[in-house]
């Protein structure tokens, strides 16, 4: 197959990936997710760093992160904590400021997003020189495991309503397992107004508006085993508000 004009092969070791891990009460999950990240990056040979953005978790997540830093090294594990819980969207923005990679990977720290998919994200990005690659639960072999009916309906519903209102041309709008070119993410973040979970949806909608190219990789999302979701009723209300704001302004 002829290679596309845009897919200039970058140097095998030219690219660096900054993984942003926002954490709030993830003491049990953090060691395993970090171990898996180190494993898959080690095997694939790409340069990387892991940036943990802990929001003053009362369960001692930051202390665990400090121990992991001792084990894997300060060049691999960066700690960029904040004093209190300020929301997922702003946690990413905070993390980006400290990232030294030319690509940024955003994912959950609770093992719902498996690091084994990262090499696929990277390959997909290189294949089409995409501005961003989004994991999708709603295409191909993608899926969701372990959610109750309520949670499935919320997620499907949020995706469906957004698809109908905004037609963003991506199959998973509320997912948060994504890879971005750093400068693309920076320019998207500048445009984004939302602070909580709705951030993910706004990012992909804005990406389409700005004509950024989007690649997709099917992922399986597995509900967390340890700890609990921080997605509460408030977040659902602010999602709807955010959606309406976007609908009105785009
Ligand atoms: N620093 C920080 N601050 N981290 C946070 C905060 C916060 O205020 N709130 C949540 N997190 C972290 C969690 O510790 C976890 O690593 C990640 O963000 C996702 O939080 P969860 O509470 O596990 O989210 P979820 O499983 O309910 O929701 C997932 O699915 C949604 C819809 O499909 C996430 O992937 C969401 O981003 C997604 O929108
Ligand atoms: Mn989760």
């Amino acid at each position: 197959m002829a290679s596309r004009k845009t897919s200039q092969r970058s140097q095998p070791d030219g690219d660096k990936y900054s993984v942003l891990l926002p954490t709030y009460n993830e003491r049990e999950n953090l060691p395993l997710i970090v171990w898996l990240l180190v494993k898959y990056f080690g095997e694939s040979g790409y340069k990387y760093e892991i940036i943990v953005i802990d929001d003053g978790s009362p369960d001692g997540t930051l202390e665990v992160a400090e121990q992991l830093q001792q084990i894997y090294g300060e060049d691999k594990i960066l700690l960029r904590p904040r004093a209190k819980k300020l929301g997922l969207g702003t946690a990413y923005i905070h993390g980006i400021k400290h990232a030294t990679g030319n690509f940024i990977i955003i994912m959950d720290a609770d093992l719902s997003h498996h690091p084994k998919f990262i090499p696929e994200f990277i390959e997909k990005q290189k294949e089409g020189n995409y501005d961003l690659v989004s994991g999708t639960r709603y295409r191909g072999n993608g899926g969701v495991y372990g959610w109750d009916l309520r949670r499935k309906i919320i997620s499907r519903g949020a995706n469906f309503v957004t698809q109908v209102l905004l037609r963003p041309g991506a199959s998973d709008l509320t997912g948060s397992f994504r890879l971005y070119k750093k400068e693309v993410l920076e320019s998207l973040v500048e445009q984004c107004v939302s602070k909580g979970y709705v951030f993910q949806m706004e990012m992909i909608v804005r990406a389409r508006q700005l004509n950024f190219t989007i690649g997709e990789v099917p992922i399986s999302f597995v509900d967390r085993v340890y700890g609990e979701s921080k997605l509460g009723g408030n977040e659902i209300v602010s999602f709807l508000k955010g959606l309406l704001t976007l609908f009105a302004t785009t």
Side-chain angles (χ1 to χ4, degrees), residues 108 110 112 221 223-224:
D108 295 347
D110 61 354
S112 286
F221 178 104
D223 196 23
R224 60 164 74 238

Side-chain angles (χ1 to χ4, degrees), residues 26 108 110 112 147 151 221-224 228-230:
E26 303 292 359
D108 295 347
D110 61 354
S112 286
W147 270 359
R151 197 60 215 266
F221 178 104
V222 183
D223 196 23
R224 60 164 74 238
E228 54 191 38
S229 166
K230 286 93 204 170

Side-chain angles (χ1 to χ4, degrees), residues 22-24 26 53 55 85 87-88 91 108-110 113 137 147 151 174 176 197 200 221 224 229-231:
T23 57
Y24 191 75
E26 303 292 359
I53 305 120
D55 270 1
K85 193 169 186 302
L88 198 48
D108 295 347
D110 61 354
H113 296 151
R137 298 162 291 182
W147 270 359
R151 197 60 215 266
T174 52
S176 55
Y197 280 66
Q200 316 296 353
F221 178 104
R224 60 164 74 238
S229 166
K230 286 93 204 170
L231 182 90

Side-chain angles (χ1 to χ4, degrees), residues 92-180:
Y92 296 131
I93 295 169
H94 179 74
I96 297 165
K97 289 187 195 136
H98 300 282
T100 66
N102 55 329
F103 287 99
I104 295 192
I105 293 168
I106 283 177
M107 65 193 296
D108 295 347
D110 61 354
L111 298 169
S112 286
H113 296 151
H114 200 296
K116 73 182 175 191
F117 293 112
I118 290 178
E120 288 180 43
F121 278 50
I122 294 175
E123 277 159 39
K124 174 58 87 179
Q125 193 284 323
K126 291 189 182 296
E127 195 183 295
N129 191 24
Y130 292 107
D131 293 317
L132 76 99
V133 173
S134 175
T136 175
R137 298 162 291 182
Y138 301 128
R139 243 189 71 186
N141 292 326
V144 170
Y145 302 89
W147 270 359
D148 58 16
L149 190 62
R150 176 182 169 270
R151 197 60 215 266
K152 281 184 181 158
I153 290 172
I154 292 172
S155 178
R156 282 277 185 184
N159 267 284
F160 180 75
V161 176
T162 311
Q163 293 285 1
V164 169
L165 290 182
L166 304 174
R167 310 201 169 275
S171 57
D172 193 340
L173 308 172
T174 52
S176 55
F177 194 0
R178 294 181 187 155
L179 180 155
Y180 295 86

